[in-house]
Amino acid sequence: MTDVGAVFDAGRAEFVDFSPLLWGPMGSATAEAGGLEPGDRVLDVCCGAGASALPAAELVGEQGLVHGLDLSAELLGYATKIAARRGLRQAEFFEADATVWEAPDGEPYDLLQCAYGVFFLPEMDTAVGRLSTLVRPGGKVVITTWADASTEGFGSELVDAVRVYKPELPINSPVNLAAQRINTEDKLTGWLAGLGLTGVEVRRVELRIPIDAALAWSFVLGTGMRARLAGLTQRQVEGVRADFTHRLAAAGIDHLDAASLIGVGTR
């Protein structure tokens, strides 16, 4: 499997640049979905630059606690800097493997949240099932993921452009296949219920972001899509960029469809 941490380390600048348009608003929506109260303890998995962890820290206040986990040291460094700037001492960030994480003090969390990250976890079902056991009985699990065919226009055009240089590149990566298993209201509801959660509710959030050629390429470089470029020379990458830009224009794609689902269940 591609080294996810290295991919997002390399794309740190582009990831952060996209935050006001996508990660920030959806991170806040994720944190708000769980009904957090002052003093709550939160585990944020695949926290990235803190898009959902930082608003969660604001909601739980100084008496609460947020542990943010990720494999990208670059994104964690950014999250740590922003937390310090905002005086959010209750937010702590760890470069750690979520599949084996245990709370340092052994105490359960009140809420587990993960925005656009569960599909990066090896053995997604097993990993999230184990993580949910770190939540106290009656606590919440909040998962945000892509809806339906969101970002697929981008993804398919990129794959076609990369295949000029990597003809063996599969249409779907393991990450894509995992994401497709939870990309509708019914699928996400059933998946969360299958983890043993009760009272599951899923809502769809529509989000369309106007893009030009530069912003489209920034999205590629700042997300897991960047992994498609692995092994290419700089000249080949520039060729992919030119071809990708041409394909988007030919397809009339001038918006990023970022429709998302936010699912909430009770342990």
Side-chain angles (χ1 to χ4, degrees):
M1 177 178 286
T2 302
D3 185 338
V4 176
V7 170
F8 283 93
D9 279 345
R12 175 222 183 253
E14 291 83 4
F15 184 97
V16 170
D17 283 348
F18 227 91
S19 290
L21 300 173
L22 174 56
W23 315 125
M26 291 307 302
S28 293
T30 299
E32 292 164 3
L36 287 170
E37 300 286 347
D40 278 349
R41 293 166 54 92
V42 178
L43 176 60
D44 190 310
V45 175
C46 307
C47 69
S52 52
L54 294 171
E58 293 174 344
L59 290 170
V60 303
E62 293 183 359
Q63 301 306 310
L65 176 69
V66 176
H67 286 159
L69 313 182
D70 205 273
L71 294 176
S72 170
E74 290 289 332
L75 293 183
L76 290 169
Y78 181 85
T80 299
K81 180 178 69 175
I82 298 303
R85 183 181 298 169
R86 297 181 184 175
L88 299 173
R89 291 185 295 276
Q90 63 271 31
E92 301 177 22
F93 296 94
F94 302 86
E95 184 178 353
D97 180 353
T99 64
V100 296
W101 175 261
E102 298 284 350
D105 60 6
E107 294 295 319
Y109 295 98
D110 297 291
L111 182 140
L112 164 69
Q113 64 183 22
C114 183
Y116 307 106
V118 292
F119 34 74
F120 286 108
L121 297 173
E123 302 296 333
M124 180 174 73
D125 298 14
T126 301
V128 181
R130 193 198 75 84
L131 284 164
S132 69
T133 67
L134 302 180
V135 177
R136 64 171 174 80
K140 298 291 182 63
V141 175
V142 181
I143 302 296
T144 298
T145 189
W146 303 112
D148 301 322
S150 61
T151 77
E152 280 191 5
F154 271 53
S156 60
E157 299 299 346
L158 178 66
V159 168
D160 287 343
V162 173
R163 277 181 157 178
V164 173
Y165 305 99
K166 298 169 68 174
E168 76 288 354
L169 186 71
I171 294 174
N172 286 306
S173 68
V175 170
N176 296 141
L177 293 173
Q180 289 169 17
R181 293 182 48 224
I182 53 173
N183 68 354
T184 69
E185 288 93 328
D186 287 346
K187 287 180 183 178
L188 184 54
T189 298
W191 184 73
L192 290 170
L195 296 176
L197 303 178
T198 61
V200 175
E201 295 183 1
V202 175
R203 71 181 179 95
R204 182 184 178 103
V205 180
E206 300 292 346
L207 182 59
R208 284 172 56 82
I209 302 171
I211 52 95
D212 56 18
L215 194 57
W217 189 243
S218 182
F219 182 75
V220 169
L221 295 184
T223 63
M225 291 183 179
R226 188 185 190 108
R228 303 285 198 184
L229 306 175
L232 298 182
T233 66
Q234 186 57 43
R235 183 172 182 177
Q236 288 172 331
V237 170
E238 289 304 320
V240 169
R241 178 177 183 173
D243 191 13
F244 172 66
T245 299
H246 173 76
R247 289 173 185 274
L248 290 184
I253 298 176
D254 59 1
H255 283 72
L256 171 65
D257 178 0
S260 301
L261 303 173
I262 302 178
V264 183
T266 300
R267 178 167 186 257

